[in-house]
Amino acid sequence: MTEFSERVEQVSISGIREVFEAAGEDAINLGLGQPDFPTPEHARQAAVDAIEAGKADGYTSNRGTPGLVDAIVDKHARDQGVEVAPEGVIATAGGSEALHLALEAHVDPGEEVLFPDPGFVSYDALTRIAGGEPVGLPLRDDLTLDPATVEERITDDTAAFVVNSPANPTGAVQSTEDMREFARIADEHDVLCISDEVYEHIVFEGEHRSPMEFAETDNVVVVNACSKTYSMTGWRLGWVAASERRAERMLRVHQYVQACASAPAQYAAEAALSGPQDVVDEMVASFEERRDVLLDGLEDMGLDVPTPQGAFYAMPKVPEGWVDAVIDEGVVVVPGSAFGDHGEGYARISYATDMAQLEEAIEAMRAATNAVR
């Protein structure tokens, strides 16, 4: 009798989703990693124009439309000063597919993938689906990943390590020196660095740098998306940027599991990447204001919270029972344990919501904090 693969049996439904289902219908949702801004009008209109012109009716190239591929190449040159060949780009169904392609193309059964813990839930799950062995790495006190921790854990069985900056779920931003070290580790140990840069433009302090800027080999693959920067989560448009030989292997996976990214979304993404960027600056300024209000509230409650320098998450240390108490108060937050073993004792709070709801949620969290102490 046919049962299920060992790979899929190792993967469970995300703990984030379980929290959502446990909350009431009227709860304030601070668990969702989704900007509450509209997609830029010029990006929406580009999709409408493509649909009305009949340009979005059929398959595109597996890699993506020529215009989108060029826009991604130009984006990397503009933002990182990195030259990526058009043949090194694949447009994907969101950053999630981009990460999936990178792991499927580079990880053999039993090989290890190192990643931050606490870290984005897909790192563990997609490693298992690729047949690999997930290895979560503990973070510094400021919730950044120490390159020395990565280097110490590399073995002959290590296929790849993941860097995520700005990070989900912590909001931490790696320093330029860290990124330089990650590139060196990838070069010297001949191991792949997968750099998840989905939140790259949402930075409040410091700056985003990519390990691809510093690598002397092609051992860095960048995963990115329009989802967070342009508030386009529903459009499902991401990409990988890599050397031609690495992209060609990832394309072998992509063409069979996806064929091509959604055509209308590709036209919208091209407009978002190549059009005016002031909407991004406005969104980031709003996130920073919300961050400061949330941090003031959490610190006033007596909670210890590293200052997030990017993304739109805070990850305070919380007393036992705090998450359940907050949910009982009508606010959705996610237990840190959903993001790895080292997330135990923390909670992830998304401030991608309007200020009025955020301030209401802070008062609910204050009540919950008092109740569990």
Side-chain angles (χ1 to χ4, degrees):
M1 183 176 185
T2 301
E3 291 296 331
F4 304 102
S5 71
E6 291 184 13
R7 296 187 308 281
V8 78
E9 288 293 78
Q10 292 183 63
V11 178
S12 58
I13 298 299
S14 166
I16 301 173
R17 190 57 52 189
E18 292 176 357
V19 171
F20 290 168
E21 292 174 356
E25 290 184 6
D26 296 329
I28 298 173
N29 193 340
L30 302 187
L32 195 61
Q34 173 170 278
D36 62 325
F37 297 91
T39 298
E41 180 58 34
H42 59 276
R44 291 181 177 183
Q45 191 59 49
V48 171
D49 291 345
I51 291 168
E52 291 182 343
K55 296 195 294 184
D57 293 345
Y59 294 118
T60 71
S61 162
N62 294 138
R63 293 187 185 280
T65 63
L68 174 58
V69 170
D70 286 347
I72 293 170
V73 168
D74 291 344
K75 171 256 174 298
H76 283 282
R78 178 184 71 228
D79 294 343
Q80 280 88 40
V82 170
E83 183 177 343
V84 178
E87 294 77 17
V89 171
I90 305 171
T92 61
S96 298
E97 194 212 349
L99 180 62
H100 178 57
L101 298 185
L103 291 169
E104 288 288 346
H106 294 96
V107 179
D108 276 325
E111 289 189 324
E112 297 174 342
V113 177
L114 318 181
F115 50 80
D117 179 356
F120 181 43
V121 294
S122 291
Y123 302 149
D124 185 295
L126 290 178
T127 295
R128 296 179 189 275
I129 290 170
E133 295 291 332
V135 180
L137 302 179
L139 306 178
R140 296 167 171 142
D141 290 342
D142 66 356
L143 301 181
T144 58
L145 178 62
D146 191 336
T149 303
V150 175
E151 192 160 28
E152 288 166 3
R153 191 55 185 79
I154 289 175
T155 71
D156 290 341
D157 294 325
T158 305
F161 66 93
V162 180
V163 176
N164 177 211
S165 178
N168 175 9
T170 66
V173 175
Q174 300 286 156
S175 69
T176 299
E177 185 53 39
D178 282 346
M179 290 306 204
R180 193 185 304 274
E181 277 293 284
F182 290 133
R184 179 193 62 77
I185 291 167
D187 289 339
E188 291 187 6
H189 292 270
D190 197 23
V191 63
L192 186 70
C193 172
I194 300 173
S195 184
D196 180 347
E197 303 181 12
V198 168
Y199 294 89
E200 68 166 311
H201 289 293
I202 307 175
V203 177
F204 315 126
E205 281 99 33
E207 62 177 336
H208 170 74
R209 300 296 295 270
S210 172
M212 186 175 275
E213 298 176 45
F214 308 110
E216 296 180 359
T217 68
D218 73 343
N219 286 348
V220 175
V221 169
V222 170
V223 169
N224 210 326
C226 290
S227 300
K228 315 298 183 178
T229 299
Y230 301 104
S231 195
M232 293 177 65
T233 54
W235 294 83
R236 307 312 304 134
L237 199 293
W239 69 87
V240 292
S243 67
E244 294 179 38
R245 71 183 186 109
R246 293 196 185 280
E248 195 275 337
R249 268 65 172 192
M250 289 185 278
L251 190 65
R252 298 179 193 183
V253 182
H254 174 69
Q255 67 178 357
Y256 291 114
V257 300
Q258 186 66 25
C260 65
S262 160
Q266 291 189 55
Y267 288 101
E270 177 187 346
L273 288 166
S274 57
Q277 302 297 300
D278 56 318
V279 290
V280 179
D281 296 335
E282 292 168 7
M283 185 169 66
V284 171
S286 179
F287 283 142
E288 184 173 10
E289 182 182 5
R290 299 175 196 181
R291 180 203 63 167
D292 293 344
V293 168
L294 176 61
L295 287 181
D296 285 346
L298 294 173
E299 290 169 357
D300 187 56
M301 295 171 212
L303 298 179
D304 180 14
V305 51
T307 300
Q309 294 184 321
F312 37 71
Y313 307 108
M315 205 167 193
K317 291 182 180 179
V318 296
E320 185 174 353
W322 189 85
V323 170
D324 288 339
V326 170
I327 292 173
D328 288 344
E329 291 286 340
V331 176
V332 177
V333 295
V334 183
S337 57
F339 303 96
D341 293 341
H342 296 289
E344 189 71 40
Y346 289 85
R348 188 192 77 171
I349 303 169
S350 168
Y351 44 91
T353 189
D354 68 76
M355 189 68 81
Q357 283 205 319
L358 184 61
E359 290 175 339
E360 182 180 346
I362 289 170
E363 293 311 306
M365 285 186 272
R366 192 186 310 278
T369 303
N370 293 333
V372 298
R373 280 184 169 156

